[in-house]
């Protein structure tokens, strides 16, 4: 068949990491003081090796080093000039601060987040609501660990009674971007509401969240700052009903119920919080139950409030995407620093693949694209050419097979 029409002089992995700035990464590492006494395993090499491991979904240091040895002749294209041993990688994950990779993620997001807003997973640009650009979604996901010593977990194993550890990843995403814009790590035992910081929000922002974030004092601060929130009601909330309106179908079936309510919370010393809000209740046909939403938006159409809350599901899809496509069941180190490094590298890999996905016109699912990148990571194929027309080589082969033989 001859040379592939997708041939490139650089491995696919080398093309992906062009989105990263080597000099900036080394500068960040130097400022953090993690380049002292380093001979060859600098922050750039550390990032490339860990990123390679995460994309390839390796489960151990042995798999990483063995695979690198098999690809030794291609490592110069990546800027790796010395083979990394297991002990070197283990020491790097233990000693180099995870803050370096946090800064790398935030810098990468800051430079390229404008390319993410065209992502069509949530909605098409033509049908996108006006409030979509102002909508932020906040939630957390827990990554289970085998040890309870580093990060305290919640609950116990139903059979053994042992308590597993867990690290909770608190995330905020812009609804029209689909990747975390802000991340914080805590133990699994930490309450989610600590991530809700009204002082960091701007007038006009809309926040969608689940009921774990309910806090009257913070909700009142958000109202005073001109920030709209939409969340799900808890069953045990106590409030005073000021107004109650119900819309019904001609058959007498409830469509939506809107209540204006007042929450009062008394604190020690005689002070307290008074918060005015609105409860929108509707029928979830699929689940066959009533859903009640709480919001401080007193004027918008109830259908719009419902639509805002439905967009919250995007962050659940993001957590599912990350856990399904990257190795977060096995960690390459036992220290808290090593675990956080692996999570930051996973977030960087997720962001890089998302950016690649947005540059390609051909529709790919994230899982499909991640799988093909994993298969072709060290192959000399053009990332743009192959993922736009993956069938081109096959079509050419079929044409050659069907062509009539030349006459002598």
């Amino acid at each position: 068949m001859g040379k592939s029409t997708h041939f490139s002089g650089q491995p696919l992995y080398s093309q992906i990491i062009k989105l990263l700035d080597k000099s900036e990464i080394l500068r960040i590492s130097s400022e953090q003081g993690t380049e002292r006494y380093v001979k060859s395993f600098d922050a750039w090499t550390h990032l490339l090796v860990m990123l390679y491991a995460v994309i390839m979904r390796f489960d151990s240091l042995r798999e990483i080093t063995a695979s690198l040895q098999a690809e030794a002749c291609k490592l110069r294209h990546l800027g790796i000039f010395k083979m990394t041993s297991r002990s070197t990688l283990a020491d790097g994950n233990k000693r180099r601060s995870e803050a370096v990779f946090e800064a790398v993620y935030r810098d990468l997001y800051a430079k390229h987040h404008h390319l993410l807003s065209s992502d069509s997973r949530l909605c098409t640009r033509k049908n996108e609501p006006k409030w979509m650009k102002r909508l932020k979604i906040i939630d957390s996901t827990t990554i289970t660990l085998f040890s309870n010593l580093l990060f305290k977990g919640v609950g116990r194993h139903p059979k053994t009674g042992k308590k597993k550890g867990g690290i909770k990843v608190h995330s905020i995403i812009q609804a029209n971007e689909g990747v975390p814009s802000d991340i914080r790590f805590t133990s699994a035992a930490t309450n989610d509401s600590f991530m809700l910081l009204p002082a960091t929000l701007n007038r006009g922002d809309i926040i969608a969240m689940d009921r774990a974030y309910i806090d009257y004092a913070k909700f009142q601060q958000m109202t005073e700052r001109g920030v709209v929130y939409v969340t799900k009601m808890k069953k045990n909330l106590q409030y005073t009903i000021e107004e109650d309106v119900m819309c019904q179908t001609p058959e007498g079936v409830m469509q939506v119920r809107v209540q204006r309510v007042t929450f009062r919370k008394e604190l020690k010393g005689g002070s307290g919080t008074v918060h005015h809000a609105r409860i929108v209740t509707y029928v979830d046909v699929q689940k066959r139950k009533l859903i009640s939403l709480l919001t401080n938006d007193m004027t918008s159409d109830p259908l719009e409030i419902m639509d805002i809350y439905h967009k919250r599901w995007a962050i659940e899809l993001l957590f599912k995407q990350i856990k399904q496509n990257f190795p977060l069941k096995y960690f390459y180190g036992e220290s808290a620093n090593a675990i956080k490094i692996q999570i930051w590298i996973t977030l960087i890999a997720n962001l890089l693949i998302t950016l690649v996905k947005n540059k390609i016109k051909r529709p790919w699912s994230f899982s499909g694209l991640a799988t093909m990148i994993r298969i072709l990571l060290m192959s000399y194929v053009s990332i743009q050419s192959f993922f736009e027309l993956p069938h081109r080589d096959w079509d050419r082969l079929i044409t050659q097979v069907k062509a009539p033989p030349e006459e002598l």
Side-chain angles (χ1 to χ4, degrees):
M1 181 178 175
K3 186 180 289 186
S4 169
T5 60
H6 303 300
F7 177 79
S8 172
Q10 296 286 329
L12 189 144
Y13 186 31
S14 182
Q15 298 167 56
I16 292 175
I17 62 176
K18 286 182 179 178
L19 291 166
L20 299 168
D21 188 337
K22 180 179 179 179
S23 60
E24 181 67 15
I25 291 169
L26 292 177
R27 183 193 65 78
I28 291 170
S29 183
S30 296
E31 289 181 353
Q32 295 283 346
T34 60
E35 293 302 307
R36 295 175 183 174
Y37 314 113
V38 173
K39 295 181 178 179
S40 59
F41 196 65
D42 57 19
W44 174 252
T45 305
H46 192 176
L47 173 62
L48 294 189
V49 172
M50 285 292 291
L51 191 58
Y52 173 75
V54 164
I55 293 175
M56 295 296 288
R57 298 183 67 172
F58 291 142
D59 295 332
S60 67
L61 297 178
R62 186 182 297 276
E63 288 184 6
I64 299 170
T65 54
S67 180
L68 287 174
Q69 289 169 0
E71 303 287 1
C73 61
K74 302 176 183 178
L75 298 183
R76 281 183 172 271
H77 286 300
L78 309 178
I80 300 176
F81 302 99
K82 186 176 181 180
M83 187 58 61
T84 302
S85 65
R86 281 182 290 163
S87 60
T88 299
L89 183 54
D91 289 343
N93 285 338
K94 184 178 181 180
R95 296 176 182 176
R96 179 166 281 120
S97 173
E98 51 90 17
V100 172
F101 302 96
E102 176 184 358
V104 171
Y105 177 86
R106 296 187 186 282
D107 180 68
L108 182 65
Y109 172 81
K111 288 180 178 178
H112 300 288
H113 75 93
H114 63 282
L115 302 175
L116 298 167
S117 58
S118 61
D119 192 349
S120 59
R121 288 178 302 170
L122 305 179
C123 61
T124 61
R125 300 284 289 177
K126 293 180 180 179
N127 299 325
E128 185 177 288
K130 293 181 179 179
W131 44 260
M132 194 69 173
K133 294 181 180 180
R134 298 185 287 122
L135 176 60
K136 297 181 179 181
I137 307 169
I138 181 172
D139 205 352
S140 69
T141 186
T142 300
I143 299 171
T144 303
L145 306 174
F146 289 101
S147 173
N148 194 42
L149 300 177
L150 298 176
F151 300 98
K152 293 183 180 181
V154 290
R156 296 182 182 275
H157 192 279
K159 294 183 178 180
T160 64
K162 293 183 178 180
K163 195 170 186 178
K164 287 186 177 181
I167 182 170
K168 187 175 282 189
V169 181
H170 303 266
S171 303
I172 297 177
I173 71 170
Q174 297 288 149
N176 64 335
E177 293 179 354
V179 300
S181 58
D182 192 17
I183 305 105
R184 295 287 186 275
F185 299 147
T186 66
S187 67
T190 304
N191 190 280
D192 286 351
S193 61
F194 101 98
M195 190 66 174
L196 186 59
L197 303 173
T200 63
L201 302 173
N202 301 315
R203 178 172 295 275
D205 284 347
I206 304 173
I207 309 297
M209 52 199 165
D210 66 15
R211 51 192 168 196
Y213 295 86
I214 290 181
D215 185 309
Y216 301 147
K218 290 183 177 181
F219 284 177
Q220 184 57 29
Q221 292 176 38
M222 292 168 69
T223 302
E224 293 169 358
R225 292 180 65 88
V227 177
V228 172
Y229 69 81
V230 178
T231 185
K232 198 173 182 179
M233 283 282 290
K234 285 183 178 179
K235 293 182 179 179
N236 60 346
L237 298 183
Q238 297 182 358
Y239 50 86
T240 303
I241 300 175
E242 309 293 345
E243 182 181 341
D244 193 342
V245 178
M246 182 184 296
C247 298
Q248 297 179 325
T249 64
E251 293 76 21
V253 179
M254 187 191 84
Q255 286 183 317
V256 64
R257 181 182 184 184
V258 180
Q259 298 170 294
R260 291 179 180 268
V261 299
T262 300
F263 295 91
R264 291 182 173 85
K265 185 176 181 180
E266 296 183 0
L267 302 175
K268 292 182 179 180
S271 62
T273 300
V274 177
H275 179 61
H276 301 286
R278 190 163 64 142
I279 300 175
V280 177
T281 304
Y282 66 96
V283 180
D284 188 320
V285 178
Q286 293 183 342
K287 295 181 179 180
R288 297 184 178 181
K289 64 179 183 179
L290 296 177
I291 303 294
S292 294
L293 304 178
L294 179 65
T295 181
N296 62 344
D297 187 335
M298 312 298 278
T299 58
S300 295
D301 189 288
L303 294 177
E304 189 170 292
I305 301 299
M306 293 156 56
D307 194 22
I308 289 172
Y309 184 76
H310 291 158
K311 291 291 187 290
R312 195 197 69 83
W313 188 246
I315 200 168
E316 301 289 355
L317 295 177
L318 172 65
F319 293 150
K320 182 180 179 181
Q321 169 182 294
I322 291 173
K323 290 183 176 181
Q324 283 185 342
N325 292 282
F326 302 105
L328 288 176
K329 293 183 179 179
Y330 303 96
F331 289 89
Y332 307 139
E334 297 179 352
S335 65
N337 190 69
I339 291 169
K340 289 180 179 180
I341 284 177
Q342 187 167 336
I343 297 174
W344 279 118
I345 297 292
T346 298
L347 292 169
I348 292 171
N350 178 76
L351 178 52
L352 287 172
I353 294 177
T354 302
L355 289 169
V356 170
K357 180 177 179 292
N358 283 12
K359 286 185 177 180
I360 298 170
K361 295 180 181 179
R362 184 186 179 91
W364 284 85
S365 68
F366 185 92
S367 294
L369 184 63
T371 299
M372 291 305 300
I373 287 176
R374 183 161 55 250
I375 293 170
L376 299 170
L377 191 61
M378 299 303 285
S379 300
Y380 289 87
V381 297
S382 168
I383 190 169
Q384 197 72 27
S385 172
F386 178 82
F387 289 111
E388 290 288 4
L389 297 168
H391 53 81
R392 187 167 60 189
D393 279 349
W394 179 253
D395 291 343
R396 189 177 66 153
L397 176 62
I398 295 299
T399 302
Q400 291 176 352
V401 171
K402 289 182 178 180
E406 295 181 3
E407 295 182 2
L408 297 177

